[in-house]
Amino acid sequence: MLVEAANLHAGYGEMNILDGVSLALEAGEIGVVIGPNGAGKSTTLKALFGLLRVSEGSVRFDGADVTNATPESLVRRGMSFVPQERNVFETLTVQENLEMGAFVRRDDYRHLVERIYALFPPLRDKRGQPAGELSGGQRQMVAMGRALMVEPRLLLLDEPTAGLSPLFMSQVFEQILAVNATGVGVLMVEQNARQALGIAHKGFVLASGRNRFTDTGQKLLADPEVARSFLGG
Amino acid sequence: MNELVFFVNKVLVAGTVIGSIYALGAVGVTLVFGILRFAHFAHGDLMTAGAFAALAGAAGLHALGVSTPLPIGFVALPLAMIATALLAMGLDRTFYRPLRERGARPIVLVMASIGVTLMLQGLVRLFAGTAPRSFFTGERKDIFHIALPFDLADRPIIVTEPQVLLVLLTAAAVVALHYFLTRSRLGKAMRATSDNADLARVSGIDTELVARTTWIIAGGLAAAGGTMLSLDVTLKPDLSFSLLLPIFAAAIVGGVGQPYGAIAGGFLVGFAETLSVFNWSVLLRVLAPVLPETVEIPTKLAFVPPEYKIVVPFFILVVVLVWRPTGIFRGRVL
Amino acid sequence: MNRLAVRELALLAGLVVMVGLIQAWLGTAYTLRMLVEASCYAILALGLGIQWGYGGLFNVGVVGFVALGGFASVLLSYPVNEDFLNSGSAAELARVGLYAVLGIAVVFAISRLHRLGVPRGLCTAATIAAAAAVYLVVTTALDPVAGEIEANAGFVGGLGLPAWTGWLAGGALAGLVAWPIGRICLGLRSDYLAIATLGIAEIIKAFLKNADWLTRGTLTVSPLPWPVPTPDEVGFVWARAGYLCLTAAMVVAIYVLLERAYRAPWGRMMRAIRDNEVSAAAMGKDVNRRRLEIFVLGSILIGIGGAALVSFVRIFDPAGFLPLNYTFLVWVMVILGGSGNNLGAIVGALLVYIIWTLSEPAALLLFDALRDLGDAWFGWDAPSDLQSRALQMRVFVIGLTITLVLRFAPRGVLPERAPRHEQVGPR
């Protein structure tokens, strides 16, 4: 198992949002977390990434227990996270955004920057521009590029298509597939459940802070009950 | 022409000098404000403490029999900068970091910094007394009289050696800071943290390292500003509150989190002060021959009497907060 | 909740014992003086306490509002200066005042010109130019008049009204100054309010110190009238006892009113805003307006308390308004007493003030002892300004107290009590 979360309980202050979420992903797989608003999807990612205190349950990454580890140590271990909002350094240039993604590295990472530009060609021309001046789709590329600079084995994406037009959405899905093809495991929270489950090896349907269904993406898509309750018929 | 020389001395030279001091202080304030998210009220006392460190260093060098062509206080400055940077880091570790880790509201950190101000003030005055002190007890302050090559101007432009050094030092600091912030990994991380602290944490940037670096820079520059001000005039142990307002005004005018803005803001506030205190009738008197007899030029025509100089930065602050709270360089409004 | 009541009672009992000991040691007159001043500080602490505890506002300019209160007392209740009224300066001053009023009217009219179709940019530029011109004209006109007053009459004197009018005017003046500051800063984060209040306090101090024609500046004004019989009439003990009755009654009255407001819908709203600004704003509360109310109200209380304090000392000395003795001392009282707890503010004020007054002789004693020891053991030649240095120790202790309380007892000695079963959010 690349990542394995068991029986997670976490929340903000006194309020518990996760009430026993479990998920597991093999290396190189795409996992998709779906569910209604308030089900705890984003909270799950934040709990995995050490941004929230996990009060009960455990997170294992690559065989090691990383429950409540700091984000910095998780980045060093090869997990990176793209938040949903404010996910680029707006006043820094595109190139500097990528360099910040590699902050934990002390080696020469220039070839990686090149690889990101190859993966997201539009960024190459904009490398000297402040990221705040880019379009929504390009910002998402910068955000993902920044997260890929540590050569993670697991990439956590929080609603990567939120606020994008349908054209850009499919582009983002293609990019996620391309990233996955390089061997990076992806765990994403997504509103476009149908499209996301279509590319998912594993799907996790959450409701009220618990797992409702856990299966492969295709089986969940085919499940009539999932379709009725969570995919809008 | 003599009137113009007077103007140069009173406004341009004085404005550049005090503007440099404010700029050195404001850079630190704006970095702390942008990265650690609170208005650091102890900055004025950090400057005073730095000046005292330089004074102590100068006394030490003097006792060792060191004699240099430069003012000895200036020679001791690197030591003072290091000492003040260490002091700033120590203050952060003892008083600010525990609050930060507890997730205290920013305003609590502001209060803590006021507590630190009082402690520094108390300690400095306890050990060094309340009387003003001069760096120039054992040596002479070099004063340059620059005579102008015009027959009309028989009065020279006057600058002192510390003033020249101050301007050079400020320029060097600005260039060094620019290269640090745009070229080095840590400098970029500082900008990133100031831009978006949450994302910086998520990216794996060591935010405590960034905080330490911020304090080192802020402390070092504060020591430089405090020492140079004391070399220019005298070292007053109670100057912190009168420095604080212009420095905050400079940082906010420049846009919080914008070091270049803070430098521009420092000079803006500095020149605004000298321009408002300047007696404009000196220049108007030149016009007297051309003006009709009925127009009487008042003997004193300054916007602000010198004793109300503190009004100038406050006025600038209010105007900026009303008109454009992000500052001229589009910083943030926290 | 029960434990809290016990703690409050214990603190009060401790206070009473302390006061009793001081009375036995230093005499009744001294104790009364200390208590009067402490009760004035309690008013200041209540004013600052509601700003901080109810509104989450950080006012670093307490000393400025105190000075304004004292100034208003001088202006309204100091005896009329016949020299000034009988000289020509009074009419001259009125003329300058008229200029100022006219000038302000003209500037205001120009600033409204955009309503008549004048482009906005031009209108703004004209307003700024007009304001600068009016300012220059008025200050140039005032200068000779001020000089004349200083030369012939000393200063303008007061209006000779009863002392209590001065106190009310002090509150009004403080509120009047607080209002624009709050208007400008309260939409922004509280750091800006802190900076602005620090600035306004420095400006008020500079003004009162240098406007000799108005305040006599460093020459100081005394004796200020009291609303109760003065020591000259009935002797120290009785006069101070009378004053204490008045200030204590004020403290109780303010406390009762604030507590009622705190439990009323207004207070609930205030706490809602402080604890969760975003959701309060989402519920349609005008957050900044409410904050402005609390800021002005708190400043009014500080102005009144300041008037009472300055009147009691009987000397208006603009140079004596040190931030340490007012702003920061009151801050220590408030945060020690517990933010949002009015009783805490009062207890904190009494406790801290008593310790503060005793710390002066204590510090001097300590340093004298140190000097003697140092002299005897090491032949230490103490600096001649050791006495003034010794008092700096108190500055250090105040700063240390603030930082320690914030770190180890962030909710004060007497934390806020949430009425009924409301949850108080984490702070």
Side-chain angles (χ1 to χ4, degrees):
Chain A
M1 282 293 153
L2 177 65
V3 65
E4 190 174 11
N7 192 28
L8 288 185
H9 287 67
Y12 303 90
E14 303 287 294
M15 210 159 52
N16 232 356
I17 292 181
L18 301 188
D19 198 17
V21 170
S22 301
L23 49 80
L25 209 61
E26 297 281 357
E29 283 186 334
I30 296 181
V32 169
V33 182
I34 62 167
N37 284 335
K41 303 178 302 257
S42 294
T43 313
T44 305
L45 287 197
K46 286 182 185 153
L48 284 179
F49 200 64
L51 294 171
L52 280 182
R53 242 200 100 66
V54 173
S55 52
E56 205 185 316
S58 68
V59 182
R60 295 180 76 77
F61 181 65
D62 236 6
D65 182 33
V66 294
T67 319
N68 287 324
T70 63
E72 193 201 334
S73 70
L74 290 171
V75 170
R76 286 181 195 281
R77 282 171 183 274
M79 194 193 289
S80 57
F81 177 61
V82 180
Q84 182 190 341
E85 285 167 329
R86 302 197 62 213
N87 53 18
V88 296
F89 297 110
E90 297 187 358
T91 56
L92 270 60
T93 64
V94 169
Q95 175 98 14
E96 285 170 340
N97 263 278
L98 298 182
E99 288 171 19
M100 285 303 104
F103 187 85
V104 297
R105 307 181 74 111
R106 303 314 301 252
D107 55 346
D108 185 10
Y109 49 77
R110 266 174 295 182
H111 66 284
L112 279 173
V113 176
E114 277 310 307
R115 209 151 92 193
I116 303 289
Y117 289 147
L119 198 61
F120 307 115
L123 296 188
R124 194 187 295 274
D125 297 335
K126 310 256 178 186
R127 62 203 304 168
Q129 247 184 52
E133 294 174 4
L134 303 184
S135 70
Q138 288 167 344
R139 278 172 178 237
Q140 200 61 44
M141 293 180 205
V142 174
M144 261 205 269
R146 192 218 86 233
L148 289 171
M149 284 298 291
V150 279
E151 296 182 277
R153 269 162 305 145
L154 178 65
L155 183 62
L156 305 176
L157 300 173
D158 193 355
E159 305 210 11
T161 66
L164 296 182
S165 70
L167 179 70
F168 281 125
M169 272 184 207
S170 2
Q171 217 174 53
V172 169
F173 278 115
E174 277 163 33
Q175 282 154 1
I176 292 170
L177 281 173
V179 168
N180 180 242
T182 63
V184 180
V186 176
L187 182 64
M188 60 195 273
V189 166
E190 198 33 80
Q191 292 280 6
N192 302 295
R194 208 173 274 278
Q195 217 173 347
L197 286 179
I199 64 168
H201 299 105
K202 289 212 179 100
F204 309 93
V205 183
L206 303 191
S208 315
R210 292 167 195 256
N211 293 54
R212 278 289 292 281
F213 300 95
T214 305
D215 214 324
T216 65
Q218 295 305 326
K219 281 201 179 138
L220 285 176
L221 273 176
D223 187 327
E225 202 186 335
V226 173
R228 197 172 52 244
S229 313
F230 299 103
L231 302 178
Chain B
M1 278 313 276
N2 277 339
E3 288 79 8
L4 213 57
V5 173
F6 188 68
F7 178 78
V8 169
N9 279 335
K10 284 282 173 188
V11 174
L12 293 188
V13 172
T16 312
V17 166
I18 197 70
S20 306
I21 304 281
Y22 292 162
L24 289 173
V27 169
V29 163
T30 213
L31 287 175
V32 173
F33 213 155
I35 291 169
L36 299 160
R37 320 259 144 178
F38 71 101
H40 186 229
F41 270 71
H43 215 77
D45 285 289
L46 217 47
M47 291 173 85
T48 320
F52 269 107
L55 189 69
L61 289 176
H62 198 75
L64 290 175
V66 179
S67 137
T68 57
L70 292 172
I72 200 151
F74 186 75
V75 177
L77 181 57
L79 292 174
M81 285 172 75
I82 293 170
T84 314
L86 289 176
L87 171 68
M89 265 164 62
L91 291 175
D92 181 60
R93 175 163 298 215
T94 333
F95 299 109
Y96 306 142
R97 197 173 74 179
L99 295 175
R100 207 157 58 226
E101 281 169 354
R102 197 177 73 204
R105 288 178 296 166
I107 199 65
V108 173
L109 281 143
V110 177
M111 288 177 73
S113 77
I114 286 181
V116 168
T117 286
L118 297 177
M119 288 164 66
L120 285 179
Q121 258 174 33
L123 284 182
V124 163
R125 293 185 203 164
L126 178 61
F127 289 110
T130 44
R133 282 163 183 260
S134 172
F135 269 90
F136 293 92
T137 45
E139 52 186 343
R140 208 164 47 81
K141 192 188 279 190
D142 286 330
I143 298 174
F144 306 121
H145 296 265
I146 305 169
L148 293 171
F150 313 114
D151 291 340
L152 289 168
D154 44 22
R155 286 170 60 168
I157 292 175
I158 300 169
V159 281
T160 64
E161 189 182 10
Q163 291 175 340
V164 176
L165 290 173
L166 164 66
V167 173
L168 292 178
L169 181 77
T170 309
V174 169
V175 172
L177 187 70
H178 172 76
Y179 276 97
F180 177 73
L181 289 176
T182 53
R183 299 293 149 87
S184 79
R185 168 174 168 274
L186 207 49
K188 288 176 195 171
M190 277 176 67
R191 281 165 55 220
T193 311
S194 172
D195 181 316
N196 187 338
D198 292 334
L199 188 61
R201 210 155 84 85
V202 164
S203 302
I205 291 174
D206 182 349
T207 43
E208 280 308 317
L209 178 67
V210 167
R212 276 200 297 280
T213 318
T214 309
W215 285 115
I216 290 174
I217 295 176
L221 292 182
T227 307
M228 296 317 288
L229 179 63
S230 313
L231 281 169
D232 183 32
V233 279
T234 51
L235 172 44
K236 294 189 203 121
D238 52 358
L239 92 185
S240 75
F241 278 145
S242 50
L243 272 177
L244 209 51
L245 197 62
I247 286 174
F248 275 132
I252 292 171
V253 165
V256 166
Q258 301 282 3
Y260 311 123
I263 292 157
F267 284 104
L268 189 119
V269 173
F271 281 118
E273 277 188 2
T274 53
L275 282 171
S276 351
V277 176
F278 185 67
N279 184 1
W280 290 91
S281 36
V282 173
L283 284 186
L284 288 178
R285 243 176 262 146
V286 182
L287 298 174
V290 237
L291 288 175
E293 293 274 316
T294 48
V295 179
E296 190 189 334
I297 296 169
T299 51
K300 223 176 96 217
L301 188 67
F303 281 94
V304 178
E307 60 268 26
Y308 294 136
K309 205 164 67 178
I310 189 94
V311 174
V312 177
F314 184 77
F315 182 71
I316 293 174
L317 183 74
V318 165
V319 169
V320 170
L321 290 185
V322 169
W323 174 59
R324 188 163 164 166
T326 49
I328 43 178
F329 275 61
R330 284 270 173 235
R332 266 191 324 275
V333 188
L334 293 173
Chain C
M1 206 146 286
N2 236 340
R3 259 187 56 209
L4 250 171
V6 170
R7 196 165 358 161
E8 280 170 15
L9 278 177
L11 270 175
L12 274 174
L15 264 176
V16 171
V17 172
M18 245 168 99
V19 172
L21 284 176
I22 292 168
Q23 201 265 344
W25 180 30
L26 293 164
T28 311
Y30 184 93
T31 315
L32 281 172
R33 195 195 83 194
M34 193 182 69
L35 284 178
V36 172
E37 286 169 359
S39 60
C40 293
Y41 269 97
I43 301 176
L44 303 183
L46 283 171
L48 187 69
I50 58 168
Q51 289 180 342
W52 170 243
Y54 289 9
L57 306 173
F58 192 28
N59 177 355
V60 202
V62 176
V63 62
F65 296 106
V66 168
L68 279 181
F71 167 63
S73 276
V74 171
L75 202 60
L76 262 80
S77 57
Y78 196 72
V80 176
N81 185 349
E82 299 291 343
D83 289 350
F84 165 68
L85 279 187
N86 297 333
S87 71
S89 313
E92 293 281 300
L93 192 63
R95 190 172 52 86
V96 176
L98 192 66
Y99 284 178
V101 171
L102 282 178
I104 290 168
V106 167
V107 171
F108 183 75
I110 293 177
S111 75
R112 296 279 126 180
L113 273 183
H114 63 89
R115 299 246 169 124
L116 298 177
V118 178
R120 241 183 205 283
L122 193 68
C123 182
T124 313
T127 311
I128 293 169
V134 166
Y135 169 78
L136 279 179
V137 167
V138 171
T139 46
T140 333
L142 181 62
D143 252 8
V145 180
E148 220 171 275
I149 296 173
E150 280 162 30
N152 300 332
F155 81 125
V156 297
L159 294 176
L161 297 173
W164 58 269
T165 56
W167 296 17
L168 290 184
L173 189 60
L176 221 63
V177 170
W179 191 77
I181 302 282
R183 263 309 288 272
I184 292 166
C185 298
L186 289 182
L188 305 163
R189 220 178 75 164
S190 11
D191 302 43
Y192 291 96
L193 183 72
I195 298 168
T197 46
L198 179 82
I200 198 75
E202 291 294 311
I203 288 173
I204 291 170
K205 276 165 49 193
F207 176 72
L208 295 180
K209 196 154 49 173
N210 292 303
D212 285 15
W213 60 278
L214 194 59
T215 64
R216 271 175 55 128
T218 44
L219 294 176
T220 73
V221 181
S222 68
L224 299 187
W226 280 14
V228 294
T230 58
D232 310 334
E233 299 164 49
V234 292
F236 274 111
V237 173
W238 284 110
R240 285 175 179 174
Y243 207 103
L244 180 61
C245 288
L246 180 64
T247 49
M250 283 165 65
V251 171
V252 171
I254 293 170
Y255 172 75
V256 169
L257 288 175
L258 286 178
E259 283 296 303
R260 287 189 58 173
Y262 188 68
R263 288 183 166 73
W266 181 82
R268 225 169 24 239
M269 183 167 61
M270 285 298 174
R271 273 171 290 134
I273 288 173
R274 182 200 57 200
D275 292 338
N276 195 337
E277 187 182 324
V278 178
S279 66
M283 286 190 295
K285 309 290 181 208
D286 186 346
V287 173
N288 291 335
R289 215 191 137 64
R290 297 282 96 78
R291 283 208 177 133
L292 186 58
E293 280 171 16
I294 206 89
F295 183 61
V296 171
L297 180 62
S299 300
I300 290 175
L301 289 182
I302 295 174
I304 294 175
L309 188 58
V310 173
S311 298
F312 178 71
V313 185
R314 304 204 77 185
I315 289 189
F316 178 76
D317 175 12
F321 291 111
L322 304 176
L324 181 78
N325 294 2
Y326 299 96
T327 306
F328 300 118
L329 192 59
V330 181
W331 263 108
V332 171
M333 295 167 178
V334 169
I335 59 172
L336 258 182
S339 63
N341 181 345
N342 292 321
L343 191 58
I346 297 173
V347 175
L350 299 177
L351 197 70
V352 170
Y353 192 74
I354 292 172
I355 297 173
W356 177 249
T357 39
L358 294 183
S359 74
E360 183 176 334
L364 291 179
L365 225 65
L366 179 72
F367 272 75
D368 277 346
L370 273 181
R371 185 186 51 198
D372 293 346
L373 272 184
D375 191 31
W377 290 357
F378 313 106
W380 180 46
D381 195 10
S384 54
D385 58 350
L386 191 77
Q387 294 251 321
S388 76
R389 288 190 190 194
L391 295 182
Q392 297 302 330
M393 199 58 209
R394 304 202 297 169
V395 183
F396 176 79
V397 171
I398 288 273
L400 189 69
T401 315
I402 291 181
T403 50
L404 288 182
V405 170
L406 288 177
R407 178 148 172 204
F408 296 108
R411 302 182 60 188
V413 180
L414 294 175
E416 176 178 7
R417 282 172 303 173
R420 290 187 286 276
H421 297 292
E422 287 171 84
Q423 178 80 38
V424 176
R427 307 269 218 84

